[in-house]
Amino acid sequence: MSKKDLLRGFSPSIDYRSMLLFISVGLLIIGLTLWNWHYDIRPRLINEAESNARVLAASHARAIESQFQNVSGNTDISLIHNSINEMLLINDPGTRETLYRGIALEVDYDVFPADYDMVNIDVGDTNCSECIISENPIFIHRTGELAAILKVWANPVFYQRLVDDIIDNLALLLLGVVVVLVLAWMTSNRLLYNLREREKSLTVEVAERKAVEDRLQQIATYDQLTNLPNRYLLQADLKRKLQETARNKKMLATLFFDIDHFKEINDIHGHEAGDIMLREAAQRVSDITRNYDLLARFGGDEFVMIMSNVTNRSDVIYVAEKIISSFNRPFELPDAEATVSTSIGISVYPEDGDDPSELLKNADLAMYRAKADGRNGYQFFNAEMNLELQYSQWVETNLREALNNDGLELHFQPQVNLDTGKIESCEALIRWPQGNGDQINPVDFIRIAERTGLINELSTWVLNETCRQVNKWTDRGYKTVRVDINLSSKDFSDKGVLYNFLQTLRRHNLQPHQIGVEITENILLESTDQVIKALSVLHNAGVHISIDDFGTGFSSLNYLKQLPLSGIKIDQSFVHEAPSNKDDLIIIQAITLVGHGFGLDVVAEGVETEWHESLCKGVGCNTMQGNYVSEPLSARRFAKQFLKKS
Ligand code: C2E
Ligand code: MG
Ligand code: MG
């Protein structure tokens, strides 16, 4: 809001009010003075004037009479005398009109009758030459007689008194005027002072308000941690830049990137360290951002760079590589140094979209591909990714439907003791049969379920279905074995199945040792204390916990020591290659050795041949699982083939 706007709303009501009051008082005084003059002095003066007029008129009439007699002894004199008497000596109010009318022949009595107060009567020409008498047309008209003209002159004494009276009252009048002026002056001065003061404070207020508005604007459009534009400013800017690029017939690139395994930094080093890393990362990338490009924080650890005026893709690759290498230097955190990497997804206008949300979505999609390809790299968006997106949307919709309509099944694969050849346990593996007899690869739909959050429901279903199945087998007289279910990292969240695990078992009247869990190494990357705590509860209760696909992921031996584990499952890729690749055999050997060192069962996965079996047995694995024994089977077939009747 501008200063002008603020002043518009300002109304100095108190000052205006008091000024109005003062002026009213002044006007009242003036009014009273005039009132007093009009109703008190004026009639008094008029009365006085009238009586004086009468006295003087009488004396003058007498004078005229004698004058007339002296001058000519004219017979007409009595007539004149009578007329004059009639005109001047009548003081009856009822007939006063006649008097005045007579006098008013010369003076406008309507205007100010007091002027007749002091009269001096002249007698005009008479019919006889010496007589001073002139014709009075009205009188003649009224009486049909010749009459004298009376002239009324203002008497100086009368006027002096009149003026004195007026002056007396004028003093009061002037006092009123002066009071009004003084008070008006004082009020206006006060008003001006107040206005100036108000203006001064308004200036300060406006400046403060402007600062607050600027700050709010800054907060609304800039990220407070990194001082980079936020996603709202980014979207607005991107829209503008797109229009510009369209006009210039150039290209525009959207680079979407985040910090790989940023959650681990937060979990291990704390959120403060995470913030430091984000600030530092923003600074490093800012340093390599060209003036006309835009770098924004999209949210969390996600950043977006908009490169406009791009002529070819190599410009974009050059910048993407610079961003990647800017992450190569370790980050100084309060308690340690940390090395991280970044993965970048790139979409290009006009090929990959022509509006901000499409370009951002496609760049985001490309970033996921860059991550899937091993991180620390960049990926340009391509149409295939869009297909993938459509596919994942299809999976999301249909998997939800399958979950609600018994469209999913569990298959079971035995795990056999390598020494005894007896079945010890089995693994429950999810199946999603399609109407046409096809199967959708669990790896694919589980990844999508993890991304869309459907995994919680899915894992809950798997656990319940496994429990139901175990009870069904028992009910049918089978002696059941431990069934291990696969859990995903998202199952470790607050709402995850892990936290209801023991209650679920109790609800199905099962013992903790009857259902085991398999977790992947990657879970350990994404969670720490919380995971260890939850796993310890299960482990202490007697739940078998193993690490699946060991050797392919994070592979830190440290967590074998930290985690409450019961076993490890060597990834099938090592087993498959072991016969032909000595390194893989050595890895299997080493894993087995370490596993045993920590007192864990070691399971070899993907055992497909007798050779695999003997290699695994040779290196000391306890258990094998794979198609050599059996591929995953339906519950009925599994029970028939591998479970004994009790
Ligand atoms: P996994 O837990 O490592 O499961 C073993 C996978 O190897 C299964 O694939 C199984 O069919 C396959 N397999 C077993 N023996 C052999 C063999 O001798 N040769 C070969 N080539 N493959 C063999 P599947 O059923 O397709 O499952 C793939 C992955 O999907 C699983 O890997 C697991 O990570 C995930 N998964 C399966 N079911 C579930 C589930 O219910 N929940 C979760 N979260 N993940 C599941
Ligand atoms: Mg598994
Ligand atoms: Mg596995």
Side-chain angles (χ1 to χ4, degrees), residues 137-166:
I138 291 180
F139 190 77
I140 291 167
H141 172 75
R142 285 175 63 86
T143 61
E145 301 287 347
L146 187 63
I149 291 293
L150 299 176
K151 277 194 179 170
V152 179
W153 299 104
N155 183 310
V157 178
F158 165 74
Y159 276 107
Q160 188 53 50
R161 285 185 43 214
L162 181 67
V163 167
D164 287 350
D165 257 349
I166 288 174

PDB file of all heavy atoms in Angstrom, residues 137-166:
ATOM      1  N   PRO A 137     -47.217  65.208  -5.384  1.00  0.00           N
ATOM      2  CA  PRO A 137     -48.178  64.516  -6.242  1.00  0.00           C
ATOM      3  C   PRO A 137     -48.991  63.479  -5.470  1.00  0.00           C
ATOM      4  O   PRO A 137     -50.197  63.354  -5.689  1.00  0.00           O
ATOM      5  CB  PRO A 137     -47.324  63.815  -7.294  1.00  0.00           C
ATOM      6  CG  PRO A 137     -45.920  64.255  -7.085  1.00  0.00           C
ATOM      7  CD  PRO A 137     -45.835  65.024  -5.820  1.00  0.00           C
ATOM      8  N   ILE A 138     -48.351  62.773  -4.565  1.00  0.00           N
ATOM      9  CA  ILE A 138     -49.102  61.730  -3.854  1.00  0.00           C
ATOM     10  C   ILE A 138     -50.132  62.345  -2.932  1.00  0.00           C
ATOM     11  O   ILE A 138     -51.286  61.933  -2.875  1.00  0.00           O
ATOM     12  CB  ILE A 138     -48.146  60.807  -3.076  1.00  0.00           C
ATOM     13  CG1 ILE A 138     -47.335  59.996  -4.087  1.00  0.00           C
ATOM     14  CG2 ILE A 138     -48.900  59.898  -2.116  1.00  0.00           C
ATOM     15  CD1 ILE A 138     -46.361  59.051  -3.484  1.00  0.00           C
ATOM     16  N   PHE A 139     -49.610  63.350  -2.237  1.00  0.00           N
ATOM     17  CA  PHE A 139     -50.535  64.023  -1.336  1.00  0.00           C
ATOM     18  C   PHE A 139     -51.714  64.575  -2.100  1.00  0.00           C
ATOM     19  O   PHE A 139     -52.869  64.423  -1.706  1.00  0.00           O
ATOM     20  CB  PHE A 139     -49.801  65.124  -0.557  1.00  0.00           C
ATOM     21  CG  PHE A 139     -50.596  65.697   0.547  1.00  0.00           C
ATOM     22  CD1 PHE A 139     -50.735  64.976   1.747  1.00  0.00           C
ATOM     23  CD2 PHE A 139     -51.259  66.925   0.418  1.00  0.00           C
ATOM     24  CE1 PHE A 139     -51.498  65.495   2.772  1.00  0.00           C
ATOM     25  CE2 PHE A 139     -52.020  67.433   1.461  1.00  0.00           C
ATOM     26  CZ  PHE A 139     -52.142  66.727   2.644  1.00  0.00           C
ATOM     27  N   ILE A 140     -51.373  65.189  -3.218  1.00  0.00           N
ATOM     28  CA  ILE A 140     -52.439  65.748  -4.056  1.00  0.00           C
ATOM     29  C   ILE A 140     -53.336  64.621  -4.517  1.00  0.00           C
ATOM     30  O   ILE A 140     -54.556  64.701  -4.500  1.00  0.00           O
ATOM     31  CB  ILE A 140     -51.844  66.494  -5.258  1.00  0.00           C
ATOM     32  CG1 ILE A 140     -51.138  67.750  -4.747  1.00  0.00           C
ATOM     33  CG2 ILE A 140     -52.947  66.883  -6.260  1.00  0.00           C
ATOM     34  CD1 ILE A 140     -50.251  68.403  -5.773  1.00  0.00           C
ATOM     35  N   HIS A 141     -52.702  63.556  -4.843  1.00  0.00           N
ATOM     36  CA  HIS A 141     -53.465  62.416  -5.318  1.00  0.00           C
ATOM     37  C   HIS A 141     -54.415  61.920  -4.231  1.00  0.00           C
ATOM     38  O   HIS A 141     -55.565  61.612  -4.485  1.00  0.00           O
ATOM     39  CB  HIS A 141     -52.484  61.306  -5.713  1.00  0.00           C
ATOM     40  CG  HIS A 141     -53.151  60.018  -6.037  1.00  0.00           C
ATOM     41  ND1 HIS A 141     -53.829  59.840  -7.225  1.00  0.00           N
ATOM     42  CD2 HIS A 141     -53.290  58.880  -5.331  1.00  0.00           C
ATOM     43  CE1 HIS A 141     -54.335  58.639  -7.225  1.00  0.00           C
ATOM     44  NE2 HIS A 141     -54.017  58.010  -6.087  1.00  0.00           N
ATOM     45  N   ARG A 142     -53.878  61.861  -2.996  1.00  0.00           N
ATOM     46  CA  ARG A 142     -54.674  61.340  -1.900  1.00  0.00           C
ATOM     47  C   ARG A 142     -55.741  62.347  -1.446  1.00  0.00           C
ATOM     48  O   ARG A 142     -56.849  61.981  -1.089  1.00  0.00           O
ATOM     49  CB  ARG A 142     -53.782  60.998  -0.698  1.00  0.00           C
ATOM     50  CG  ARG A 142     -52.982  59.732  -0.882  1.00  0.00           C
ATOM     51  CD  ARG A 142     -52.061  59.553   0.297  1.00  0.00           C
ATOM     52  NE  ARG A 142     -52.824  59.396   1.544  1.00  0.00           N
ATOM     53  CZ  ARG A 142     -53.281  58.253   1.986  1.00  0.00           C
ATOM     54  NH1 ARG A 142     -53.066  57.173   1.292  1.00  0.00           N
ATOM     55  NH2 ARG A 142     -53.960  58.211   3.097  1.00  0.00           N
ATOM     56  N   THR A 143     -55.334  63.639  -1.382  1.00  0.00           N
ATOM     57  CA  THR A 143     -56.258  64.622  -0.811  1.00  0.00           C
ATOM     58  C   THR A 143     -56.934  65.497  -1.865  1.00  0.00           C
ATOM     59  O   THR A 143     -57.947  66.150  -1.613  1.00  0.00           O
ATOM     60  CB  THR A 143     -55.510  65.557   0.156  1.00  0.00           C
ATOM     61  OG1 THR A 143     -54.518  66.221  -0.598  1.00  0.00           O
ATOM     62  CG2 THR A 143     -54.863  64.804   1.291  1.00  0.00           C
ATOM     63  N   GLY A 144     -56.333  65.504  -3.015  1.00  0.00           N
ATOM     64  CA  GLY A 144     -56.820  66.396  -4.065  1.00  0.00           C
ATOM     65  C   GLY A 144     -56.444  67.838  -3.784  1.00  0.00           C
ATOM     66  O   GLY A 144     -56.894  68.767  -4.436  1.00  0.00           O
ATOM     67  N   GLU A 145     -55.521  67.941  -2.752  1.00  0.00           N
ATOM     68  CA  GLU A 145     -55.112  69.307  -2.374  1.00  0.00           C
ATOM     69  C   GLU A 145     -53.653  69.537  -2.658  1.00  0.00           C
ATOM     70  O   GLU A 145     -52.885  68.590  -2.736  1.00  0.00           O
ATOM     71  CB  GLU A 145     -55.322  69.474  -0.855  1.00  0.00           C
ATOM     72  CG  GLU A 145     -56.741  69.261  -0.379  1.00  0.00           C
ATOM     73  CD  GLU A 145     -57.663  70.403  -0.748  1.00  0.00           C
ATOM     74  OE1 GLU A 145     -57.183  71.470  -1.164  1.00  0.00           O
ATOM     75  OE2 GLU A 145     -58.896  70.204  -0.641  1.00  0.00           O
ATOM     76  N   LEU A 146     -53.323  70.778  -2.753  1.00  0.00           N
ATOM     77  CA  LEU A 146     -51.916  71.142  -2.862  1.00  0.00           C
ATOM     78  C   LEU A 146     -51.275  70.910  -1.497  1.00  0.00           C
ATOM     79  O   LEU A 146     -51.895  71.113  -0.467  1.00  0.00           O
ATOM     80  CB  LEU A 146     -51.824  72.624  -3.218  1.00  0.00           C
ATOM     81  CG  LEU A 146     -50.454  73.167  -3.544  1.00  0.00           C
ATOM     82  CD1 LEU A 146     -49.874  72.485  -4.794  1.00  0.00           C
ATOM     83  CD2 LEU A 146     -50.532  74.681  -3.751  1.00  0.00           C
ATOM     84  N   ALA A 147     -50.087  70.412  -1.502  1.00  0.00           N
ATOM     85  CA  ALA A 147     -49.475  70.120  -0.194  1.00  0.00           C
ATOM     86  C   ALA A 147     -48.014  70.506  -0.195  1.00  0.00           C
ATOM     87  O   ALA A 147     -47.390  70.607  -1.242  1.00  0.00           O
ATOM     88  CB  ALA A 147     -49.601  68.635   0.105  1.00  0.00           C
ATOM     89  N   ALA A 148     -47.532  70.638   0.999  1.00  0.00           N
ATOM     90  CA  ALA A 148     -46.110  70.965   1.124  1.00  0.00           C
ATOM     91  C   ALA A 148     -45.263  69.715   0.980  1.00  0.00           C
ATOM     92  O   ALA A 148     -45.719  68.605   1.233  1.00  0.00           O
ATOM     93  CB  ALA A 148     -45.866  71.557   2.505  1.00  0.00           C
ATOM     94  N   ILE A 149     -44.090  69.923   0.535  1.00  0.00           N
ATOM     95  CA  ILE A 149     -43.137  68.805   0.458  1.00  0.00           C
ATOM     96  C   ILE A 149     -42.281  68.852   1.696  1.00  0.00           C
ATOM     97  O   ILE A 149     -41.774  69.900   2.077  1.00  0.00           O
ATOM     98  CB  ILE A 149     -42.233  68.960  -0.761  1.00  0.00           C
ATOM     99  CG1 ILE A 149     -43.002  68.753  -2.047  1.00  0.00           C
ATOM    100  CG2 ILE A 149     -41.060  67.961  -0.684  1.00  0.00           C
ATOM    101  CD1 ILE A 149     -43.499  67.358  -2.256  1.00  0.00           C
ATOM    102  N   LEU A 150     -42.189  67.758   2.323  1.00  0.00           N
ATOM    103  CA  LEU A 150     -41.340  67.727   3.521  1.00  0.00           C
ATOM    104  C   LEU A 150     -40.060  66.992   3.189  1.00  0.00           C
ATOM    105  O   LEU A 150     -40.077  65.896   2.622  1.00  0.00           O
ATOM    106  CB  LEU A 150     -42.075  66.944   4.639  1.00  0.00           C
ATOM    107  CG  LEU A 150     -43.386  67.560   5.054  1.00  0.00           C
ATOM    108  CD1 LEU A 150     -44.058  66.665   6.076  1.00  0.00           C
ATOM    109  CD2 LEU A 150     -43.176  68.930   5.659  1.00  0.00           C
ATOM    110  N   LYS A 151     -38.994  67.631   3.514  1.00  0.00           N
ATOM    111  CA  LYS A 151     -37.721  66.962   3.249  1.00  0.00           C
ATOM    112  C   LYS A 151     -37.137  66.496   4.558  1.00  0.00           C
ATOM    113  O   LYS A 151     -37.148  67.223   5.539  1.00  0.00           O
ATOM    114  CB  LYS A 151     -36.761  67.933   2.566  1.00  0.00           C
ATOM    115  CG  LYS A 151     -37.025  67.995   1.085  1.00  0.00           C
ATOM    116  CD  LYS A 151     -35.879  68.673   0.387  1.00  0.00           C
ATOM    117  CE  LYS A 151     -36.161  68.708  -1.107  1.00  0.00           C
ATOM    118  NZ  LYS A 151     -35.197  69.563  -1.772  1.00  0.00           N
ATOM    119  N   VAL A 152     -36.717  65.335   4.574  1.00  0.00           N
ATOM    120  CA  VAL A 152     -36.178  64.790   5.816  1.00  0.00           C
ATOM    121  C   VAL A 152     -34.670  64.624   5.650  1.00  0.00           C
ATOM    122  O   VAL A 152     -34.209  64.007   4.705  1.00  0.00           O
ATOM    123  CB  VAL A 152     -36.810  63.422   6.110  1.00  0.00           C
ATOM    124  CG1 VAL A 152     -36.242  62.846   7.392  1.00  0.00           C
ATOM    125  CG2 VAL A 152     -38.303  63.577   6.216  1.00  0.00           C
ATOM    126  N   TRP A 153     -33.994  65.219   6.551  1.00  0.00           N
ATOM    127  CA  TRP A 153     -32.528  65.106   6.470  1.00  0.00           C
ATOM    128  C   TRP A 153     -32.015  64.369   7.693  1.00  0.00           C
ATOM    129  O   TRP A 153     -32.513  64.546   8.770  1.00  0.00           O
ATOM    130  CB  TRP A 153     -31.876  66.491   6.437  1.00  0.00           C
ATOM    131  CG  TRP A 153     -32.314  67.295   5.250  1.00  0.00           C
ATOM    132  CD1 TRP A 153     -33.207  68.316   5.249  1.00  0.00           C
ATOM    133  CD2 TRP A 153     -31.875  67.088   3.932  1.00  0.00           C
ATOM    134  NE1 TRP A 153     -33.382  68.808   3.987  1.00  0.00           N
ATOM    135  CE2 TRP A 153     -32.557  68.054   3.141  1.00  0.00           C
ATOM    136  CE3 TRP A 153     -30.983  66.226   3.292  1.00  0.00           C
ATOM    137  CZ2 TRP A 153     -32.373  68.166   1.766  1.00  0.00           C
ATOM    138  CZ3 TRP A 153     -30.810  66.361   1.936  1.00  0.00           C
ATOM    139  CH2 TRP A 153     -31.503  67.301   1.179  1.00  0.00           C
ATOM    140  N   ALA A 154     -31.022  63.581   7.478  1.00  0.00           N
ATOM    141  CA  ALA A 154     -30.429  62.855   8.618  1.00  0.00           C
ATOM    142  C   ALA A 154     -29.722  63.840   9.508  1.00  0.00           C
ATOM    143  O   ALA A 154     -29.000  64.689   9.021  1.00  0.00           O
ATOM    144  CB  ALA A 154     -29.448  61.812   8.138  1.00  0.00           C
ATOM    145  N   ASN A 155     -29.969  63.676  10.781  1.00  0.00           N
ATOM    146  CA  ASN A 155     -29.343  64.567  11.735  1.00  0.00           C
ATOM    147  C   ASN A 155     -28.009  63.983  12.160  1.00  0.00           C
ATOM    148  O   ASN A 155     -27.924  62.824  12.546  1.00  0.00           O
ATOM    149  CB  ASN A 155     -30.268  64.653  12.951  1.00  0.00           C
ATOM    150  CG  ASN A 155     -29.728  65.622  13.973  1.00  0.00           C
ATOM    151  OD1 ASN A 155     -28.564  65.530  14.326  1.00  0.00           O
ATOM    152  ND2 ASN A 155     -30.576  66.528  14.406  1.00  0.00           N
ATOM    153  N   PRO A 156     -26.924  64.803  12.128  1.00  0.00           N
ATOM    154  CA  PRO A 156     -25.583  64.271  12.463  1.00  0.00           C
ATOM    155  C   PRO A 156     -25.519  63.704  13.869  1.00  0.00           C
ATOM    156  O   PRO A 156     -24.850  62.707  14.105  1.00  0.00           O
ATOM    157  CB  PRO A 156     -24.665  65.476  12.337  1.00  0.00           C
ATOM    158  CG  PRO A 156     -25.447  66.539  11.666  1.00  0.00           C
ATOM    159  CD  PRO A 156     -26.890  66.207  11.721  1.00  0.00           C
ATOM    160  N   VAL A 157     -26.237  64.273  14.798  1.00  0.00           N
ATOM    161  CA  VAL A 157     -26.192  63.773  16.176  1.00  0.00           C
ATOM    162  C   VAL A 157     -26.776  62.363  16.221  1.00  0.00           C
ATOM    163  O   VAL A 157     -26.218  61.460  16.836  1.00  0.00           O
ATOM    164  CB  VAL A 157     -26.970  64.712  17.122  1.00  0.00           C
ATOM    165  CG1 VAL A 157     -26.972  64.158  18.549  1.00  0.00           C
ATOM    166  CG2 VAL A 157     -26.368  66.099  17.077  1.00  0.00           C
ATOM    167  N   PHE A 158     -27.915  62.285  15.484  1.00  0.00           N
ATOM    168  CA  PHE A 158     -28.538  60.955  15.449  1.00  0.00           C
ATOM    169  C   PHE A 158     -27.573  59.913  14.877  1.00  0.00           C
ATOM    170  O   PHE A 158     -27.360  58.842  15.437  1.00  0.00           O
ATOM    171  CB  PHE A 158     -29.805  61.016  14.586  1.00  0.00           C
ATOM    172  CG  PHE A 158     -30.289  59.650  14.202  1.00  0.00           C
ATOM    173  CD1 PHE A 158     -30.918  58.841  15.150  1.00  0.00           C
ATOM    174  CD2 PHE A 158     -30.081  59.151  12.918  1.00  0.00           C
ATOM    175  CE1 PHE A 158     -31.350  57.586  14.794  1.00  0.00           C
ATOM    176  CE2 PHE A 158     -30.509  57.888  12.576  1.00  0.00           C
ATOM    177  CZ  PHE A 158     -31.157  57.107  13.511  1.00  0.00           C
ATOM    178  N   TYR A 159     -26.944  60.318  13.792  1.00  0.00           N
ATOM    179  CA  TYR A 159     -26.017  59.354  13.161  1.00  0.00           C
ATOM    180  C   TYR A 159     -24.837  59.041  14.052  1.00  0.00           C
ATOM    181  O   TYR A 159     -24.344  57.917  14.096  1.00  0.00           O
ATOM    182  CB  TYR A 159     -25.566  59.856  11.787  1.00  0.00           C
ATOM    183  CG  TYR A 159     -26.596  59.496  10.747  1.00  0.00           C
ATOM    184  CD1 TYR A 159     -27.435  60.434  10.179  1.00  0.00           C
ATOM    185  CD2 TYR A 159     -26.738  58.154  10.376  1.00  0.00           C
ATOM    186  CE1 TYR A 159     -28.404  60.080   9.263  1.00  0.00           C
ATOM    187  CE2 TYR A 159     -27.718  57.794   9.461  1.00  0.00           C
ATOM    188  CZ  TYR A 159     -28.543  58.742   8.908  1.00  0.00           C
ATOM    189  OH  TYR A 159     -29.485  58.362   8.024  1.00  0.00           O
ATOM    190  N   GLN A 160     -24.418  60.045  14.780  1.00  0.00           N
ATOM    191  CA  GLN A 160     -23.294  59.810  15.682  1.00  0.00           C
ATOM    192  C   GLN A 160     -23.668  58.736  16.701  1.00  0.00           C
ATOM    193  O   GLN A 160     -22.933  57.792  16.956  1.00  0.00           O
ATOM    194  CB  GLN A 160     -22.936  61.125  16.402  1.00  0.00           C
ATOM    195  CG  GLN A 160     -21.646  61.036  17.232  1.00  0.00           C
ATOM    196  CD  GLN A 160     -20.476  60.532  16.410  1.00  0.00           C
ATOM    197  OE1 GLN A 160     -20.225  61.056  15.324  1.00  0.00           O
ATOM    198  NE2 GLN A 160     -19.802  59.484  16.872  1.00  0.00           N
ATOM    199  N   ARG A 161     -24.879  58.891  17.234  1.00  0.00           N
ATOM    200  CA  ARG A 161     -25.328  57.924  18.243  1.00  0.00           C
ATOM    201  C   ARG A 161     -25.521  56.534  17.643  1.00  0.00           C
ATOM    202  O   ARG A 161     -25.213  55.519  18.248  1.00  0.00           O
ATOM    203  CB  ARG A 161     -26.632  58.412  18.874  1.00  0.00           C
ATOM    204  CG  ARG A 161     -26.330  59.573  19.845  1.00  0.00           C
ATOM    205  CD  ARG A 161     -27.527  60.033  20.595  1.00  0.00           C
ATOM    206  NE  ARG A 161     -28.334  58.933  21.077  1.00  0.00           N
ATOM    207  CZ  ARG A 161     -29.647  58.972  21.166  1.00  0.00           C
ATOM    208  NH1 ARG A 161     -30.284  60.053  20.795  1.00  0.00           N
ATOM    209  NH2 ARG A 161     -30.323  57.950  21.609  1.00  0.00           N
ATOM    210  N   LEU A 162     -26.047  56.631  16.425  1.00  0.00           N
ATOM    211  CA  LEU A 162     -26.234  55.347  15.727  1.00  0.00           C
ATOM    212  C   LEU A 162     -24.896  54.632  15.542  1.00  0.00           C
ATOM    213  O   LEU A 162     -24.738  53.446  15.859  1.00  0.00           O
ATOM    214  CB  LEU A 162     -26.884  55.594  14.363  1.00  0.00           C
ATOM    215  CG  LEU A 162     -27.148  54.350  13.536  1.00  0.00           C
ATOM    216  CD1 LEU A 162     -28.212  53.486  14.210  1.00  0.00           C
ATOM    217  CD2 LEU A 162     -27.612  54.725  12.126  1.00  0.00           C
ATOM    218  N   VAL A 163     -23.924  55.426  15.096  1.00  0.00           N
ATOM    219  CA  VAL A 163     -22.590  54.854  14.869  1.00  0.00           C
ATOM    220  C   VAL A 163     -22.006  54.351  16.181  1.00  0.00           C
ATOM    221  O   VAL A 163     -21.441  53.263  16.247  1.00  0.00           O
ATOM    222  CB  VAL A 163     -21.675  55.887  14.186  1.00  0.00           C
ATOM    223  CG1 VAL A 163     -20.215  55.439  14.223  1.00  0.00           C
ATOM    224  CG2 VAL A 163     -22.115  56.122  12.746  1.00  0.00           C
ATOM    225  N   ASP A 164     -22.184  55.147  17.259  1.00  0.00           N
ATOM    226  CA  ASP A 164     -21.660  54.721  18.566  1.00  0.00           C
ATOM    227  C   ASP A 164     -22.241  53.378  18.973  1.00  0.00           C
ATOM    228  O   ASP A 164     -21.534  52.479  19.422  1.00  0.00           O
ATOM    229  CB  ASP A 164     -22.007  55.767  19.650  1.00  0.00           C
ATOM    230  CG  ASP A 164     -21.149  57.010  19.497  1.00  0.00           C
ATOM    231  OD1 ASP A 164     -20.191  56.926  18.686  1.00  0.00           O
ATOM    232  OD2 ASP A 164     -21.438  58.017  20.145  1.00  0.00           O
ATOM    233  N   ASP A 165     -23.563  53.314  18.805  1.00  0.00           N
ATOM    234  CA  ASP A 165     -24.220  52.053  19.161  1.00  0.00           C
ATOM    235  C   ASP A 165     -23.666  50.880  18.371  1.00  0.00           C
ATOM    236  O   ASP A 165     -23.379  49.815  18.910  1.00  0.00           O
ATOM    237  CB  ASP A 165     -25.728  52.163  18.886  1.00  0.00           C
ATOM    238  CG  ASP A 165     -26.469  52.380  20.195  1.00  0.00           C
ATOM    239  OD1 ASP A 165     -25.814  52.224  21.254  1.00  0.00           O
ATOM    240  OD2 ASP A 165     -27.673  52.684  20.153  1.00  0.00           O
ATOM    241  N   ILE A 166     -23.526  51.213  17.074  1.00  0.00           N
ATOM    242  CA  ILE A 166     -23.010  50.130  16.216  1.00  0.00           C
ATOM    243  C   ILE A 166     -21.584  49.764  16.621  1.00  0.00           C
ATOM    244  O   ILE A 166     -21.220  48.596  16.703  1.00  0.00           O
ATOM    245  CB  ILE A 166     -23.086  50.531  14.737  1.00  0.00           C
ATOM    246  CG1 ILE A 166     -24.559  50.513  14.303  1.00  0.00           C
ATOM    247  CG2 ILE A 166     -22.288  49.561  13.860  1.00  0.00           C
ATOM    248  CD1 ILE A 166     -24.814  51.013  12.917  1.00  0.00           C
TER     249      ILE A 166
END
